[in-house]
C-alpha cells in the first residue's frame, strides 16, 4: 500500500521571535529530511507565533515573518516543508488596527492571509490560505486575515512508493467535514493540517474525534500537527497526531512538550480524474526510504495531570519569555496561595519563588504557621511582613476624615479592602525592588462573584495560575470532570506521596474552612453559597448559558426550597454582573476551561441587563455592571 | 419633485435596557407619525444598545431584544419604522462564546443578524441584515453576526407625492460605494442607513464625506441616523444627517445630544424595471402632509469643543448608568488631575466630585496650594490626606527586609511606586466607604510609555477621561489638529473667561514643569523626551505605524543629530513595548483618537518582537512585553 511519510514538527510558540522560530523550523526540516520524510508539517503561524493580534497590522512585522519563512524555505531540499506564516497577497497589510485610510470595509482592504507555505528544493512552491477564519471564543482571525478560497491547489509528490496527491488545510478548516470531503473528491489522497489549537479540558479528545470523523467520512487519512507552549492566557498542548482513512489514531506525539514524530501514512486511492482540482507537481521527494520504528502513540494524560501541566506550562512560559523567571507571592495559609506557590515552584524552581506572609489585624495564627509549613515543604524562601501598623495608620487617618466629612466611617467593606490593598502594595514593592513578578492567587469562583479586592489580592504581573480553576471539582454536562483547586491540590500531594516525596500542601491548609480573614471570625460561606453549590451554578451559567430559572430548577431538583433556590441564584448572578468592571482590570489567567474569563467572554461594563432577572434594570436606579469595589464580602 | 419624508430619531445608547430603549423608540415613532413622516429611522441595534459584545451569545438577551422590538412594531401605524435590533433567522443564536457544541465553524452555526427591522401598521414587514461586518479597530461584528446577502428586498411606500422605493443599509454597508450603487441600480430611489458610529476626532467630516461621495456616485439621496451617548470607552456623537443626490448635506442633527429631525428628501427617478430587485409593497403611508419647517442644519462644533464634549459625555454616561454618579480623585496640583476634575464637574456637577490632596515626602508646596485653588474655582470639596506616615512605615519595614535578604534596597523606582500605590489605596478606601467611583487622571502619552504606577495613580473605577489625550496638541498627517491636555485646559479656561466666569484651572498649574514629585527635584523631562517631541513620535508610531527608522528621519529633518534621534526613538519604542502589561490592567479610557489604547489596539503581552529594532530580541535574555512595574520614571 502506498504511504506518505509525514513528519509532524510540534514546535513551541514564541511570539515575535522570527529568528528563533525559523531556526527551529529549519532544524525540523533537516531532521525530517534525514528521516526521508516526504512532507514535514510545522504549526500554524509557526514563524511568528499565534495569536499575535494587532502586530499583524504592522508592515515591518509581517515583512520580517515572510523573510524568515523564505529563509527556512531556502534550507529545504527533497522533503516538502509546510511552513505556517502570515502572507501578503498583493501588497502590505492594512488589516486590523492598521487601516490608515480609515473605515474601509474589510473585503476591500484585506490582503493578509494565514498561510501554510509550501516549500521545497530551496524555494516557495505555493501555499494554502486558511479558508475558515474563526471569530469565536478566543479567536479573532477575521480581524486580521482575508479568507482563502474553498478550492485551492493540491500538491503531488513522487514518493519511493509512487505518486501521492495531498491537500493542505489550516486549523479551523479541518473542523468542517465538508471542506475535507470536497478536498478528497478533488483528488487528495492525504490531508495535512497545520494548527495552533489551544488547550482546554477535553480538547485533545474533541480534536481527535472531530478529525477522525472527517477522515472516516471522506475516507482519507489526516495528519494533524499542533503547536506547544504558553502564550499569554493560552496554552498550546501539542498532542499532534495522525489518523488513517478509518479514523483510527495511528500516531500521537507527547502533550505539552516539543516533539517530532514521523509516520508512514497509508494513502487513499486516487480519485476519478474528472473531478480533480489543480495539482502542483513537486516532483520526486526521496528515492529510497530508511526504515522507521513504529510511530509513537503516546497515551493521553489523565485530567488532573493534564490541567496541572497546562498551568505549569503557561506560567513558566510567560515568566521566562518576558525575561523575569522569578516571582513573589503572598501566602495566607489558605489553599489558593498554597496551590499557586506549588505551581510556581514546579514551573520555575524553588529558588525563584519567594513567599511573603502578611498577617493583619484579623489573621489567624494558622495563617503564618500553615504558610511556613508550605514553604518548608517546597524549599522556598519565606518572610513575614505584617501589615498591622500600616493598616492602623491608614485606618485612623481615613476614618477620621470620613467621620468629619460624612458623619460615619461608611461601608465596612472599605476597611476590609484596605487590608488587601496594603498587602498588594507590599508585594509590588518587593517585586519592583528585586525585579520579580507578582503572582496573584484568586480562583475562578472568586473572580466570578467579585469576591476579591481590586488592586489588593488581585495584584499580579505574572499570569494568575488559578484564575480559570473553580474552587471545587465539578462534573460537566457531558459527564467529564473539571478539576478545581481542592482536587488539584490533593492530586499534587498524592503524586508526591506516590513518589516518596513530601506532599507540599499542609493537610490543615486543605481541611480548614475557607476564609479571607479580613474581619473577625469571617468565613467565605458567610457571604457566598457553599462552594460546591456556587461552582455548579457558575459553570452552568458561564459555559452552558443556563438562565436564572433553569439554575433554580437544578437546586430544586436537589431538594432545595423553591424560594431559597431562587434567591440564591439571584444573589450569585447579581454578583457576577456587578463584578465585570473588576475582572476587566485583573491579570490574565491561564485558560483551562472551555469558556474562561478573558478573551473567551467579552462583556460590556455599563449594562442595564440583569442576568438575575433576565430583564433590564429600570432607569439609573439600580446599578449593575459596576459598583464600588466592594469585592471582598461580595456586598452590597 | 417627489420627496420621501424621513424622520431621523437620534436616540441614546443604553446597553441592555430593552424596556427603556423600546419606550424611546415608540415615542420617536409616534412623533414621526404626527409629523406625517413616511419613514422613521432609529439607530443600529437601538433596542439593546451597541456594542453589547457576548451578551449576544445569550438566548434570553436576544429574545428580550426581539420581544421589545416586536412591541415597538405593534405601536406603528402609517409611518414605516426602521428598528435596529439583533434578529435570529431560524433558531436561537449560538454566536460568540455561546457555541455549546463547541468549535463549529462560524458559517455553520451562525443564525443571528444585525438587522434593521421594517415595521408598519402594527407588524414586522421585513428587514435588512447588515451585509458588511466590520472586525477592525473597535468592532467585532463577525464574532456575533452572520452577514446579510448583498441583494435583499427593497421597500415601496405610497406617499402623498406618489410611490417611492427605498433601500435599507446598516452602518458599515454604506461605507461601500459599490453596495449603494448596486442598490440604486436595483431600484432604490432613496437609501436609508441605521448607524451606531462612534466618535473620534474628524469622524463627522469623514462620515459626511463618505456618504456624500456614495450619494453622488449612485445619484441617490441618503439619510443617515446615528446613536448618541457614551458606552464604556466609546462615545456616539449623533450628528445624524441627510444628503441629496448631489451629495449636499441638507439636514444635520445636533451632536452629542438626543434629537429628532425630519426632512423631505427629494428622491431619485425610478430605474429601468428590468434590473430591479424584489420590492415589498408597504402601501400608503399618509394621505396628506403637514408642512415642515426647513430642516435643521446644525453647524459642527470646533475641534476642542467637540473633544471636550465627547469626554464629558462619555464620563457622565458611564457614571450615571452604573448608578454611581459621584467620584473621588487625587489632586496633585498638576495639569492632568486639574483637567480631569474639571471634566468630572462638567459631567456630574460640583457636589458629586471630591478632590483629595495626598502630599508625600517629595511633594512641592504648590501641589497643595494649586490643588486647593482649583477646587475653589470649581466649587468642589477638597481634603488633604498626607501619605507621609504610611510611606515611612512601609519604607522602613520593607527596606529592612530587602537589605537583610538581598544586601540592598533594590531598584529605586520601587520606592517611587510605593508612594503612588499608597495614594491609590487611600482613594479607593474613601471611594469604597462612600459609594463613589475613583477617577484616574493619566494621559495617553504617559500610558504609551508606561510612565505611571500600576495599582497606583492608574487606580480607577470610572473611565479615565484623559486616557486618550496626548499631553500636547499634535497636528496629524492629514493636517487636522488633535487636541492635547494643555490645549483643552486652556480652551476650557478661555471658555469660562469668555462667559465671564472664573477660569477653573490655575495659571500656575498650566505653566509649571510637569513632575510626578516622587523623588527630590524630579521632572518628567528627566526620564522622557520633551512632550511635544514625544507626542509627535507616539502619534506617528501608534496611528500611522511609522517604523523606528521613519521616526528618526522626522527628527533629523527637524535638525536633530542622527545618533541622538535614533537613540531617542529607540528609548521611546522600547518603553511602549515594555508597558503593554501595565496598559492591560488600567481602567477603560474614553476614545477620542482614531486609534486609542483599548479595543482599538490589541497586543500580546509575552512578545519577543521589538518595535525599536524591528527584529526579535534574542532568546530569553532581553525581556520585552513585560517588566516589573517600574513605571514611574520609565526605567529601566
Amino acid at each position: 500500500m502506498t504511504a506518505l511519510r509525514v513528519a509532524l514538527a510540534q514546535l513551541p510558540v514564541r511570539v515575535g521571535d522570527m529568528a528563533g522560530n525559523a531556526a527551529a523550523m529549519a532544524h525540523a526540516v533537516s531532521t525530517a529530511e534525514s528521516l526521508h520524510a516526504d512532507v514535514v508539517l510545522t504549526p500554524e503561524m509557526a514563524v511568528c507565533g499565534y495569536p499575535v493580534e494587532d502586530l499583524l497590522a504592522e508592515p515591518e512585522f509581517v515583512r520580517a515573518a515572510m523573510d524568515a519563512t523564505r529563509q527556512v524555505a531556502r534550507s529545504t531540499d527533497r522533503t516538502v516543508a509546510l511552513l505556517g506564516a502570515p502572507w501578503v497577497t498583493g501588497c502590505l497589510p492594512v488589516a486590523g488596527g492598521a487601516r490608515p485610510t480609515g473605515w474601509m470595509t474589510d473585503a476591500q482592504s484585506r490582503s493578509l492571509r494565514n498561510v501554510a507555505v509550501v516549500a521545497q528544493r530551496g524555494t516557495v512552491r505555493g501555499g494554502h490560505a486558511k479558508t475558515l477564519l474563526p471569530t469565536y471564543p478566543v479567536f479573532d482571525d477575521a480581524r486580521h486575515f482575508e479568507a482563502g478560497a474553498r478550492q485551492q491547489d493540491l500538491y503531488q509528490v513522487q514518493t519511493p512508493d509512487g505518486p501521492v496527491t495531498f491537500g493542505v488545510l489550516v486549523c479551523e478548516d479541518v473542523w468542517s467535514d465538508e471542506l475535507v470531503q470536497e478536498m478528497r473528491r478533488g483528488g487528495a489522497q492525504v490531508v495535512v493540517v497545520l494548527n495552533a489549537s489551544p488547550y482546554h479540558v477535553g480538547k485533545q479528545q474533541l480534536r481527535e474525534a472531530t478529525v477522525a470523523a472527517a477522515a472516516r467520512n471522506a475516507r482519507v487519512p489526516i495528519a494533524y500537527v499542533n503547536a506547544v507552549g504558553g502564550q499569554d492566557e493560552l496554552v498550546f498542548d501539542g498532542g499532534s497526531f495522525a489518523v488513517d482513512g478509518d479514523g483510527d489514531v495511528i500516531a500521537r506525539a507527547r502533550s505539552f512538550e516539543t516533539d517530532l514524530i514521523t509516520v508512514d501514512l497509508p494513502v487513499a486511492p486516487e480519485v476519478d480524474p474528472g473531478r480533480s482540482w489543480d495539482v502542483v507537481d513537486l516532483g520526486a521527494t526521496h528515492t529510497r526510504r530508511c526504515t522507521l520504528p513504529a510511530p509513537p502513540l503516546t497515551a493521553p494524560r489523565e485530567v488532573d495531570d493534564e490541567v496541572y501541566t497546562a498551568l505549569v506550562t503557561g506560567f513558566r512560559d510567560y515568566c521566562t519569555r518576558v525575561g523575569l523567571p522569578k516571582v513573589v507571592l503572598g501566602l495566607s495559609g489558605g489553599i489558593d496561595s498554597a496551590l499557586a506557590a506549588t505551581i510556581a515552584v514546579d514551573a520555575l524552581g524553588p529558588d525563584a519563588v519567594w513567599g511573603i506572609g502578611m498577617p493583619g489585624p484579623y489573621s489567624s495564627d494558622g495563617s503564618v504557621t500553615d504558610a511556613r509549613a508550605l514553604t518548608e515543604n517546597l524549599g522556598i524562601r519565606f518572610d513575614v511582613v505584617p501589615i498591622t501598623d500600616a493598616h492602623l495608620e491608614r485606618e485612623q487617618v481615613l476614618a477620621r476624615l470620613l467621620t468629619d466629612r460624612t458623619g460615619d466611617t461608611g461601608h465596612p467593606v472599605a476597611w476590609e479592602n484596605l487590608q488587601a490593598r496594603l498587602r498588594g502594595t507590599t508585594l509590588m514593592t518587593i517585586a519592583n525592588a528585586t525585579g520579580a513578578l507578582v503572582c496573584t492567587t484568586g480562583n475562578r469562583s472568586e473572580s466570578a462573584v467579585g469576591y476579591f479586592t481590586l488592586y489588593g489580592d488581585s495584584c499580579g504581573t505574572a499570569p494568575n495560575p488559578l484564575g480559570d480553576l473553580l474552587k471545587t471539582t465539578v462534573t460537566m454536562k457531558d459527564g467529564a470532570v473539571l478539576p478545581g483547586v481542592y482536587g488539584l491540590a490533593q492530586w499534587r500531594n498524592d503524586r508526591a506521596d506516590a513518589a516518596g516525596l513530601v506532599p507540599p500542601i499542609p493537610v490543615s491548609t486543605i481541611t480548614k474552612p475557607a476564609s479571607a480573614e479580613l474581619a473577625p471570625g469571617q468565613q467565605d460561606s458567610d457571604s457566598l453559597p457553599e462552594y460546591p453549590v456556587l461552582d455548579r451554578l457558575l459553570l452552568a451559567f458561564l459555559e452552558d448559558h443556563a438562565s436564572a430559572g433553569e439554575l433554580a430548577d437544578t437546586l430544586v431538583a436537589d431538594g432545595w426550597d423553591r424560594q431559597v433556590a431562587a434567591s440564591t441564584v439571584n444573589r450569585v448572578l447579581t454578583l457576577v454582573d456587578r463584578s465585570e468592571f473588576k475582572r476587566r482590570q485583573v491579570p490574565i489567567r491561564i485558560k483551562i476551561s472551555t469558556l474562561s474569563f478573558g478573551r473567551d467572554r467579552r462583556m460590556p461594563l455599563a449594562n442595564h441587563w440583569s442576568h438575575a432577572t433576565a430583564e433590564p434594570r429600570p432607569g439609573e436606579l439600580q446599578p449593575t455592571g459596576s459598583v464600588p469595589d466592594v469585592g471582598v464580602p461580595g456586598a452590597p
Side-chain angles (χ1 to χ4, degrees), chain A:
Chain A
M1 196 180 221
T2 308
L4 188 73
R5 182 165 289 186
V6 182
L8 306 178
Q10 179 171 297
L11 301 177
V13 170
R14 291 172 56 89
V15 159
D17 184 5
M18 280 68 137
N21 292 332
M25 293 162 86
H27 184 258
V29 168
S30 111
T31 305
E33 190 86 45
S34 70
L35 293 168
H36 298 165
D38 299 309
V39 183
V40 57
L41 312 183
T42 63
E44 178 182 14
M45 295 276 279
V47 79
C48 63
Y50 182 84
V52 289
E53 309 191 46
D54 290 355
L55 287 169
L56 288 173
E58 302 181 3
E60 288 203 61
F61 182 88
V62 174
R63 195 180 299 132
M66 291 174 67
D67 286 349
T69 308
R70 289 196 191 95
Q71 187 191 316
V72 181
R74 278 195 289 278
S75 79
T76 57
D77 188 8
R78 295 172 157 268
T79 301
V80 178
L82 292 177
L83 310 173
W87 210 256
V88 170
T89 46
C91 62
L92 276 170
V94 287
R99 206 149 305 208
T101 51
W103 311 98
M104 300 287 290
T105 58
D106 290 15
Q108 291 171 343
S109 55
R110 289 279 161 81
S111 61
L112 187 65
R113 297 174 190 238
N114 182 337
V115 171
V117 171
V118 179
Q120 196 205 24
R121 295 180 199 275
T123 59
V124 170
R125 302 293 307 273
H128 174 92
K130 190 173 185 176
T131 303
L132 301 177
L133 300 177
T135 55
Y136 56 93
V138 301
F139 301 107
D140 292 292
D141 270 18
R143 181 173 173 87
H144 300 113
F145 299 113
E146 187 177 16
R150 284 183 80 91
Q151 180 172 336
Q152 300 179 49
D153 290 343
L154 302 179
Y155 296 87
Q156 191 177 64
V157 286
Q158 298 295 329
T159 76
D161 289 355
V164 174
T165 301
F166 65 92
V168 183
L169 295 175
V170 178
C171 210
E172 187 78 6
D173 295 343
V174 81
W175 293 76
S176 159
D177 231 45
E178 263 179 59
L179 269 187
V180 176
Q181 289 184 44
E182 287 170 20
M183 189 166 259
R184 170 68 184 131
R185 286 195 298 268
Q189 298 171 268
V190 180
V191 172
V192 300
V193 197
L194 274 49
N195 303 274
S197 175
Y199 175 72
H200 65 70
V201 169
K203 187 67 170 291
Q204 181 72 11
Q205 293 89 314
L206 184 59
R207 266 182 219 129
E208 291 188 7
T210 305
V211 172
R216 245 186 334 262
N217 293 340
R219 308 294 313 161
V220 71
I222 302 179
Y224 181 108
V225 71
N226 195 15
V228 73
Q231 172 56 30
D232 291 357
E233 57 194 272
L234 304 182
V235 180
F236 297 93
D237 54 329
S240 303
F241 62 96
V243 298
D244 62 21
D246 296 326
D248 291 327
V249 176
I250 59 172
R252 185 187 297 113
R254 286 177 292 183
S255 55
F256 300 104
E257 290 174 56
T258 302
D259 204 354
L260 189 147
I261 65 172
T262 307
V263 56
D264 287 326
L265 204 55
V267 305
E270 288 184 60
V271 297
D272 166 8
R275 317 159 81 178
S276 66
W277 292 5
D278 289 343
V279 177
V280 177
D281 184 1
L282 299 172
T285 52
H286 295 276
T287 50
R288 63 177 187 87
R289 273 184 182 156
C290 60
T291 309
L292 284 184
L297 195 56
T298 313
R301 294 168 193 255
E302 53 93 9
V303 66
D304 288 311
D305 186 5
E306 189 182 272
V307 168
Y308 193 86
T309 307
L311 297 176
V312 169
T313 303
F315 192 81
R316 182 197 61 221
D317 284 359
Y318 186 93
C319 299
T320 54
R321 284 180 192 169
V322 303
L324 296 165
K326 59 181 187 171
V327 299
V328 175
L329 82 175
L331 298 179
S332 68
I335 183 85
D336 294 320
S337 55
L339 181 61
T342 308
I343 291 169
V345 168
D346 287 343
L348 305 174
D351 294 344
V353 181
W354 188 358
I356 310 286
M358 294 172 286
Y362 311 109
S363 297
S364 63
D365 294 342
S367 80
V368 171
T369 53
D370 287 341
R372 189 181 303 280
L374 170 80
T375 58
E376 284 165 2
N377 296 342
L378 289 171
I380 66 173
R381 192 156 58 164
F382 181 60
D383 281 288
V384 176
V385 185
I387 58 153
T388 325
D389 291 348
H391 178 253
L392 194 65
E393 191 276 345
R394 279 293 91 178
E395 193 180 41
Q396 284 179 347
V397 168
L398 292 170
R400 198 180 318 123
L401 170 77
L402 286 162
T403 308
D404 284 355
R405 292 305 195 145
T406 70
D408 62 36
T409 57
H411 202 293
V413 81
W415 311 100
E416 303 191 19
N417 287 334
L418 173 59
Q419 299 163 55
R421 293 201 177 102
L422 289 169
R423 292 193 176 106
T425 294
T426 299
L427 289 178
M428 290 299 293
T429 305
I430 296 171
N432 288 175
T434 59
L437 298 172
V438 169
C439 173
T440 181
T441 67
N443 60 58
R444 185 187 186 193
S445 310
E446 292 172 345
S447 188
V449 291
Y451 197 73
F452 65 91
T453 299
L454 187 61
Y455 317 132
D457 49 319
S458 69
C459 284
T461 47
N464 180 352
L466 310 191
D468 199 26
L469 284 183
L470 293 168
K471 190 88 169 187
T472 61
T473 299
V474 179
T475 303
M476 295 187 286
K477 239 174 34 177
D478 63 0
V481 161
L482 186 63
V485 170
Y486 282 108
L488 278 195
Q490 192 58 57
W491 173 85
R492 180 63 180 78
N493 271 3
D494 292 347
R495 193 183 71 170
D497 230 5
L501 302 168
V502 179
I505 301 171
V507 172
S508 55
T509 288
I510 297 181
T511 55
K512 68 183 168 188
S515 169
E517 298 192 342
L518 294 169
Q522 184 179 51
Q523 292 195 7
D524 291 10
S525 54
D526 302 340
S527 310
L528 300 174
E530 296 290 343
Y531 280 112
V533 171
L534 177 65
D535 287 349
R536 245 178 49 211
L537 295 176
L538 289 174
L539 196 72
F541 173 68
L542 294 171
E543 302 209 359
D544 303 328
H545 293 274
S547 67
E550 289 163 349
L551 294 175
D553 288 346
T554 64
L555 294 183
V556 170
D558 281 359
W560 287 54
D561 171 79
R562 164 71 58 186
Q563 204 162 349
V564 176
S567 80
T568 301
V569 167
N570 186 304
R571 174 160 172 68
V572 168
L573 297 192
T574 302
L575 290 172
V576 173
D577 282 351
R578 287 188 176 178
S579 37
E580 286 303 339
F581 81 100
K582 294 166 78 173
R583 281 191 292 274
R584 189 67 71 90
Q585 291 189 51
V586 300
I588 58 169
R589 83 287 307 141
I590 298 168
K591 173 183 164 74
I592 61 100
S593 77
T594 312
L595 198 88
S596 64
F597 293 119
R599 292 171 66 91
D600 270 346
R601 185 175 187 273
R602 308 177 190 180
M603 286 287 165
L605 302 182
N607 173 18
H608 293 266
W609 179 254
S610 159
H611 286 102
T613 58
E615 59 187 37
R617 293 161 186 280
E620 258 68 67
L621 302 172
Q622 285 178 271
T624 181
S626 185
V627 289
D629 177 40
V630 291
V632 166

